[in-house]
Amino acid sequence: MLKQSNPFMKQANLIGGEWVAADSGETIDVVNPANGQVLGTVPKSGQAETARAIDAAQKAFESFRKTTALERSNMLRRLHAALMDNQDALAELLTLEQGKSLAEAKGEIGASAANVLWFAEEARRTYGDVIPSPWADRRVMVNKEPVGVVAAITPWNFPSSMLARKIAPAIAAGCTSVAKPAELTPYSGLAWGLLAEEAGIPPGVINIVTGTASEIGDELCANPLVRKITFTGSTRVGKLLLSKAAATVKKVSMELGGNAPFLVFDDADLDRAVEGAMVAKYRNSGQTCVCTNRFFVQAGVYDAFVEKLAKASSALKVGPGVEDGVQQGPLIDETALAKVEEFVTDATAKGGKVVVGGKRHALGGSFFEPTVIAEATPKMKFMKEEIFGPVAPVFRFETEEEAIALANDTDYGLACYFYTNDLRRAFRVMGELKYGMVGVNEGLITTPEAPFGGVKESGLGREGGHQGIEDYLDTKYVCIGGLGD
Ligand code: ADP
């Protein structure tokens, strides 16, 4: 099924308001993960196109930085309207290139719109300070100014909303940007160019380049005109970008990998915990950085939890995301599938028991069965590594101290979840978990109003919340003297 008819499927770079091919004319195929068919192509760009996009962004910045906060807020409001007016078409495009169900894709476009609206509001609140002066004849003032050109690199799992969290605060702050969407899912990224045109955002404020990641990334890191890099993706690439950005001392925001624990105590509401577990595990077929990687369940409720989770998991409807009622689509590609298989093989070799699922789905392609593995132990691979697939390993624990130690025994620190009905335990445990985000009796906590981000090797900076715009602003201290009599 070749869906060329989708009005948002743009197969070109956007540089300085022009839709252009790669200099070489070369392209990359984009494949629908649900059926392996080629949806279309995008330009295979490299260093030269990226440098031009940066120049275009810098040129646009000279005037964009002088727009008022109210003007930028109104642009973002129009962008929000453009997203909501086209939610169905954007969701279809997202499902076709990424695989998630249409319901989840619509939800992601809604989340993009919510982020845009949030930053439309925050644009008008980038307050500075007037500080009581220690000098009688001077005034002390602090202003906030846009940092300049921002480079935004995004992953394939949320190709629309991850860009929303970067483009929207950039515009709100008065920055211009060069975006590089993931090569597996570039269309939802390129769609932001069309949406920006529809919203009347000036040419050059948003530039989008697709192609060879390392070449584009190297130019974004090395070019001194880029003043900030915002990245969502793997910890491996994040570290690479951090080291490369050091040469020109850029600001950096990094949303990297996770290894989310999900703790269920004996005193938890078990049905609520299972409900939370299902979203925290299987959203986007387990391909989110805040997806539960490890379930830790107290001995008293262990068997009951495993049974309920297995029952709910086996009831999930797996299929192509575009089909009615489908809850879980395919994994992004064969590599992802092979990796998930490897986790299951490793676990069963070390004594893990597959309660449901455990293998490639009968649908073929990159579909995998929703899987629950009981009797998980810390020796298994998923104790330290991100699964990024629909596999739920369930570990058993006896005491609260043991659960906290297990949960924290990782280099990551993005999201974590725990379930208890004991208020004192809730406060104790939330204080002990070394994570940037904690869900207490909730399995889905992301919202534009709250700061999203991690500690340890899960990243730097926060997206969303009132914190989300800070990284796009420089602080300028101004001392005004000669004011004496
Ligand atoms: P994932 O494992 O989720 O695919 P990656 O970190 O590999 O995460 O990819 C996230 C984004 O980083 C994608 O847009 C990808 O193209 C980009 N990327 C990968 N390698 C580099 C690189 N060397 N420089 C810049 N960007 C890169």
Side-chain angles (χ1 to χ4, degrees):
M1 177 183 47
L2 222 67
K3 276 273 184 178
Q4 304 280 5
S5 58
N6 188 293
F8 285 94
M9 188 170 149
K10 199 75 187 171
Q11 309 189 60
N13 290 324
L14 179 62
I15 300 179
E18 305 284 330
W19 290 97
V20 291
D23 291 357
S24 66
E26 284 183 66
T27 57
I28 300 173
D29 284 350
V30 181
V31 170
N32 179 344
N35 57 20
Q37 286 181 14
V38 175
L39 284 169
T41 64
V42 288
K44 189 178 181 193
S45 324
Q47 185 274 332
E49 297 89 335
T50 309
R52 279 206 296 283
I54 295 169
D55 285 342
Q58 178 64 30
K59 188 159 165 269
F61 179 63
E62 293 311 328
S63 50
F64 195 61
R65 71 189 178 90
K66 294 183 183 140
T67 53
T68 65
L70 183 58
E71 283 171 320
R72 296 195 300 276
S73 175
N74 286 335
M75 281 178 210
L76 287 169
R77 284 176 193 282
R78 294 196 299 269
L79 188 57
H80 172 261
L83 277 151
M84 292 314 289
D85 288 349
N86 296 292
Q87 189 173 16
D88 287 339
L90 291 162
E92 182 200 57
L93 186 64
L94 177 42
T95 293
L96 287 174
E97 67 175 348
Q98 203 278 334
K100 68 181 64 176
S101 70
L102 268 179
E104 282 194 28
K106 269 187 88 162
E108 181 176 342
I109 302 302
S112 292
N115 274 286
V116 169
L117 187 59
W118 172 254
F119 284 108
E121 292 159 352
E122 288 302 284
R124 301 169 69 188
R125 302 194 182 107
T126 57
Y127 305 119
D129 294 303
V130 176
I131 297 168
S133 174
W135 301 289
D137 63 342
R138 300 186 212 173
R139 295 291 179 271
V140 173
M141 204 163 78
V142 176
N143 295 335
K144 295 289 171 93
E145 296 184 353
V147 296
V149 175
V150 172
I153 302 177
T154 47
W156 51 261
N157 59 346
F158 289 91
S160 175
S161 62
M162 293 301 104
L163 216 41
R165 287 188 187 170
K166 300 176 185 334
I167 286 175
I171 291 176
C175 298
T176 56
S177 49
V178 177
K180 192 212 84 64
E183 45 276 55
L184 294 171
T185 57
Y187 293 132
S188 300
L190 289 164
W192 281 98
L194 292 169
L195 292 163
E197 285 173 353
E198 194 172 324
I201 293 168
V205 170
I206 296 176
N207 304 274
I208 310 165
V209 182
T210 62
T212 309
S214 57
E215 266 193 53
I216 297 172
D218 284 357
E219 179 63 21
L220 292 173
C221 288
N223 193 311
L225 293 175
V226 175
R227 292 319 312 148
K228 172 184 170 61
I229 297 201
T230 168
F231 171 75
T232 301
S234 63
T235 296
R236 181 186 69 81
V237 175
K239 287 179 179 176
L240 203 68
L241 295 174
L242 271 173
S243 68
K244 289 184 176 171
T248 46
V249 192
K250 299 186 200 309
K251 269 185 186 275
V252 284
S253 307
M254 296 279 148
E255 295 295 347
L256 309 177
N259 183 358
F262 187 111
L263 280 49
V264 182
F265 290 97
D266 280 345
D267 54 41
D269 173 338
L270 219 52
D271 289 325
R272 189 177 173 84
V274 172
E275 213 176 288
M278 292 302 289
V279 266
K281 178 67 249 179
Y282 295 112
R283 199 158 61 100
N284 202 12
S285 304
Q287 302 170 113
T288 91
C289 51
V290 293
C291 270
T292 298
N293 213 52
R294 302 166 295 158
F295 288 93
F296 296 108
V297 182
Q298 203 158 11
V301 291
Y302 185 89
D303 292 338
F305 179 84
V306 169
E307 193 187 320
K308 284 174 188 277
L309 183 65
K311 190 166 170 228
S313 302
S314 58
L316 281 175
K317 186 169 177 203
V318 180
V322 289
E323 281 181 15
D324 265 356
V326 161
Q327 293 162 296
Q328 190 183 279
L331 295 186
I332 190 69
D333 59 13
E334 172 61 33
T335 313
L337 192 72
K339 201 161 168 236
V340 167
E341 259 186 329
E342 207 181 299
F343 279 110
V344 176
T345 311
D346 169 77
T348 47
K350 292 171 184 165
K353 293 198 168 50
V354 173
V355 186
V356 286
K359 55 185 193 307
R360 289 173 185 238
H361 198 278
L363 285 168
S366 58
F367 290 94
F368 199 83
E369 294 175 344
T371 297
V372 176
I373 298 180
E375 308 308 335
T377 71
K379 289 209 163 50
M380 297 173 187
K381 264 177 168 227
F382 35 57
M383 181 66 194
K384 300 280 180 191
E385 290 176 41
E386 214 174 359
I387 302 168
F388 238 60
V391 175
V394 192
F395 300 68
R396 190 192 307 264
F397 73 86
E398 301 287 340
T399 67
E400 186 179 305
E401 293 69 28
E402 186 192 352
I404 290 166
L406 282 165
N408 286 337
D409 185 14
T410 165
D411 293 332
Y412 295 106
L414 194 57
C416 65
Y417 312 89
F418 69 91
Y419 281 70
T420 178
N421 276 337
D422 178 334
L423 191 61
R424 286 187 304 164
R425 168 172 279 159
F427 276 88
R428 240 181 1 247
V429 175
M430 81 174 77
E432 291 303 317
L433 291 170
K434 294 184 175 51
Y435 287 82
M437 297 176 279
V438 187
V440 186
N441 296 327
E442 286 296 340
L444 181 58
I445 61 172
T446 310
T447 179
E449 290 84 352
F452 186 103
V455 297
K456 295 160 78 178
E457 293 195 13
S458 287
L460 297 169
R462 293 292 182 271
E463 293 190 318
H466 71 80
Q467 295 87 346
I469 198 168
E470 281 301 322
D471 272 345
Y472 296 81
L473 295 166
D474 280 329
T475 296
K476 182 181 276 180
Y477 158 46
V478 183
C479 179
I480 307 161
L483 301 176
D485 298 334

